[in-house]
Amino acid sequence: MERVNRWKSANQVFREKPLMGWGPATYQFKYAPFQIASEKTIISTNYGKVGNAHSEYLGSLVDSGIPGIMLYFLLLILSLRKE
């Protein structure tokens, strides 16, 4: 359930700044206010000391917005491409 909490929080954090994101490695400091009280678990925190989005895609989306996730996918596709 904590992963679902983090995923939903990441989606809400992204919606606040979709174009440029919040900056590198800032998810742990920004997600706490976006949590829904009924979805918190015993390991949920509001202090911003640890934690990530538990998803490389959502983490990139929060950190660098739409341009960052597009670049992530482009690099992924190019690295998997065979010639």
Side-chain angles (χ1 to χ4, degrees):
M1 283 307 296
E2 183 61 20
R3 283 182 193 264
V4 173
N5 176 34
R6 301 274 178 113
W7 293 339
K8 287 184 176 182
S9 297
N11 184 39
Q12 293 302 317
V13 173
F14 161 70
R15 288 175 183 237
E16 285 287 316
K17 286 189 173 183
L19 294 180
M20 297 307 288
W22 291 85
T26 55
Y27 174 81
Q28 69 178 349
F29 305 112
K30 301 293 181 185
Y31 84 95
F34 295 92
Q35 297 179 91
I36 298 170
S38 64
E39 294 178 352
K40 286 185 178 182
T41 67
I42 194 165
I43 61 172
S44 296
T45 180
N46 289 325
Y47 301 110
K49 294 182 181 179
V50 295
N52 60 23
H54 292 285
S55 167
E56 293 300 320
Y57 307 112
L58 290 174
S60 294
L61 199 58
V62 168
D63 290 348
S64 53
I66 293 171
I69 197 69
M70 297 299 285
L71 181 61
Y72 184 91
F73 284 132
L74 177 65
L75 291 172
L76 182 65
I77 290 167
L78 290 175
S79 69
L80 296 174
R81 200 175 97 182
K82 292 184 180 181
E83 290 190 18

